Amino acid sequence: IKLLSYTGVVPTDDFNLEEATAVGAAGYAILYADARGTGASYGTRTQPFSVDEINDFGEVVDWVAKQPWSNGKVGALGV
């Protein structure tokens, strides 16, 4: 499993490292995405579950499904 950081947090400092390592060891890929205007993302969050936010996450799912390492099956978990 290769862990990359685009937020300035090194993988050894990532509080999700243990979960990501276990998921990767089980043969799954794990991706963490911040909603527009939250976390390390750009833009402005006008409201939770806005049309833009729903469309953004739809694009993330579509992107994951098209990756060469993906079998096209995508699950989601979050708040």
Side-chain angles (χ1 to χ4, degrees):
I1 182 170
K2 184 175 181 181
L3 300 173
L4 302 174
S5 174
Y6 297 99
T7 62
V9 176
V10 295
T12 55
D13 295 337
D14 188 346
F15 64 89
N16 295 308
L17 181 60
E18 186 177 335
E19 177 184 35
T21 301
V23 169
Y28 294 90
I30 189 167
L31 176 110
Y32 295 96
D34 293 321
R36 176 192 304 223
T38 69
S41 72
Y42 296 100
T44 302
R45 189 177 195 200
T46 57
Q47 68 184 46
F49 310 111
S50 68
V51 171
D52 286 336
E53 189 172 302
I54 292 167
N55 290 336
D56 290 345
F57 282 116
E59 289 181 24
V60 170
V61 169
D62 291 343
W63 178 86
V64 169
K66 292 177 185 174
Q67 297 310 299
W69 43 260
S70 175
N71 66 5
K73 296 178 183 178
V74 179
L77 172 69
V79 293

